[in-house]
Amino acid sequence: MIPMSFLLLAWLIFVAIFVLFAILTIAVHIRFGISNPITTVSAGIFLTVSILVILATGIYFLQVDWSKNVGLFNANSFGTQQSVSEFEL
Amino acid sequence: MFDLQHLPNAVPGEKIVHFLRRHPITLLPVAFGYLLVTLIPIFGFGYLFIYEPNITHNPVFFPVIILLSSVIFLFAWLILFHMFMDYYLDIWVVTTRRILSIEQTGLFNRIVSELRLYRIQDVTAQINGFLHTVLNFGFLEIQTAGEKTRFVFEEIPRPMTVSKSILELSEVDRREHLDESIENLGGKP
C-alpha cells in the first residue's frame, strides 16, 4: 500500500520539472523567434493551456482526501484500506 | 514579413529576396499530435463519466487517473511545442548579398551560418517522392568553392525557383564583387 500523498508529491515534482522546461522553452521561443504575432500567439496558447491544466488539476486535488492508501499490485484491494476491510467483513 | 534589422551582421544595401521555412505540410505530424492530445482526454473522460461512473466516483482510483493523465498531457504538450518550435525557428534567408541559415536543434543548440553569394559554386535542388512532387517542396544544396560543407535548405517550398533565383543573385553579386576588387586594386572595372 502506498500513501496517496506520495503520488501527490510525485505529481508536484513532475509539474515543477514541466514548469522549468516550459520557462526555458518560452524564453528560447521569444528570444530567437521573429517579432511577429505568430510568435506571441503560439507562446500565449502554450502558456494558457498549460496554466489552465495545472490550475484545474490543482483545484480538483484540493477536494481529494490524500490520507488514503493505494494498493497498486492487488487489483482486488485497489482502493482505500477501509473499503478493503469492509469487503472482507 | 521578416525585418532586416533582425538579421545578424547586416550588410549595407542588402535586401531580402527569400525568407524560407520548411513547407507547412511538414507540420502535419505536429498537428495530428495536437489533435490526439486534445481529443484523447475529452473522449477518455467522457467515456468514463458515461459508461464507468463507479470509477469516477472512486475516491482513490479517479484522483490517480487525473494525476497520471495531467502529467502525460503536460509533457505531450511540451514535446509538441518543441516540435513546433523546431519548425518555426529553422529559417533560411536569401538576401541580395548573402545567405543565412539559422537552425535551432533542441533548446540549447543554435547554428547560424552565413555565406556570401559570390562564393557559391553550384546549387542543387532535389524533389524526391510523391508528396514532394505534388506539393512542390524539397531540398536545396549549395556548394561553395573550396569548402566541404554545404548549405542545405530542408524541405523548402519551390526549390527549383529558389535555386534559379540564387544562381542569378550569385552571378550579379560575383560581378559586383569583381568590380569592387578591381577598384580596390586601383584598376578600372
Side-chain angles (χ1 to χ4, degrees):
Chain A
M1 301 292 267
I2 299 170
M4 274 180 72
S5 52
F6 279 24
L7 295 179
L8 180 66
L9 191 70
W11 182 79
L12 286 171
I13 291 168
F14 274 118
V15 169
I17 293 168
F18 170 81
V19 169
L20 180 73
F21 275 97
I23 288 169
L24 284 171
T25 305
I26 289 296
V28 169
H29 189 64
I30 299 287
R31 188 178 170 197
F32 297 121
I34 303 149
S35 56
N36 70 10
I38 298 173
T39 309
T40 322
V41 169
S42 55
I45 291 172
F46 172 73
L47 278 180
T48 309
V49 172
S50 307
I51 290 167
L52 279 177
V53 169
I54 293 169
L55 273 181
T57 320
I59 289 167
Y60 171 74
F61 284 167
L62 288 176
Q63 303 157 6
V64 174
D65 179 9
W66 295 100
S67 60
K68 291 184 163 88
N69 292 323
V70 186
L72 286 179
F73 302 107
N74 185 353
N76 290 330
S77 67
F78 198 99
T80 61
Q81 265 181 323
Q82 290 93 331
S83 65
V84 172
S85 48
E86 278 164 17
F87 180 75
E88 283 166 352
L89 284 170
Chain B
M1 185 59 188
F2 196 72
D3 194 342
L4 260 177
Q5 66 184 358
H6 295 295
L7 284 181
N9 316 318
V11 176
E14 70 178 334
K15 285 176 188 157
I16 292 175
V17 183
H18 296 289
F19 177 79
L20 304 159
R21 277 200 181 97
R22 287 197 294 271
H23 194 284
I25 198 76
T26 57
L27 269 180
L28 204 65
V30 181
F32 187 66
Y34 271 114
L35 201 69
L36 277 183
V37 161
T38 316
L39 291 181
I40 287 174
I42 293 171
F43 284 105
F45 282 108
Y47 176 83
L48 285 181
F49 276 106
I50 295 166
Y51 298 107
E52 303 286 347
N54 55 330
I55 289 178
T56 54
H57 290 109
N58 188 311
V60 175
F61 196 31
F62 194 58
V64 173
I65 290 176
I66 295 276
L67 202 135
L68 286 175
S69 48
S70 71
V71 168
I72 292 168
F73 177 87
L74 285 173
F75 280 91
W77 189 247
L78 186 67
I79 289 165
L80 286 169
F81 191 73
H82 270 261
M83 287 166 80
F84 168 73
M85 211 170 77
D86 186 43
Y87 163 83
Y88 188 68
L89 296 184
D90 284 358
I91 51 174
W92 298 278
V93 185
V94 180
T95 75
T96 46
R97 306 300 296 268
R98 61 190 173 140
I99 291 172
L100 268 169
S101 164
I102 303 170
E103 288 188 70
Q104 182 82 31
T105 41
L107 269 183
F108 305 109
N109 298 319
R110 188 173 168 82
I111 304 165
V112 181
S113 323
E114 191 179 321
L115 168 70
R116 295 301 293 259
L117 287 175
Y118 67 82
R119 299 189 66 199
I120 291 173
Q121 210 167 41
D122 59 65
V123 182
T124 312
Q126 274 185 352
I127 296 179
N128 294 325
F130 174 74
L131 202 63
H132 286 214
T133 309
V134 170
L135 297 171
N136 191 19
F137 70 102
F139 291 81
L140 192 76
E141 291 182 359
I142 300 167
Q143 181 73 54
T144 57
E147 272 181 33
K148 280 181 185 172
T149 51
R150 290 182 294 186
F151 263 59
V152 181
F153 292 11
E154 292 166 22
E155 297 181 312
I156 55 159
R158 299 172 288 105
M160 300 294 179
T161 318
V162 176
S163 80
K164 195 180 166 197
S165 165
I166 288 174
L167 281 173
E168 285 168 3
L169 287 166
S170 85
E171 198 56 48
V172 173
D173 194 52
R174 198 173 291 121
R175 230 176 284 136
E176 282 177 12
H177 187 74
L178 195 66
D179 291 347
E180 279 172 20
S181 305
I182 292 168
E183 273 174 30
N184 288 341
L185 286 170
K188 284 181 182 176

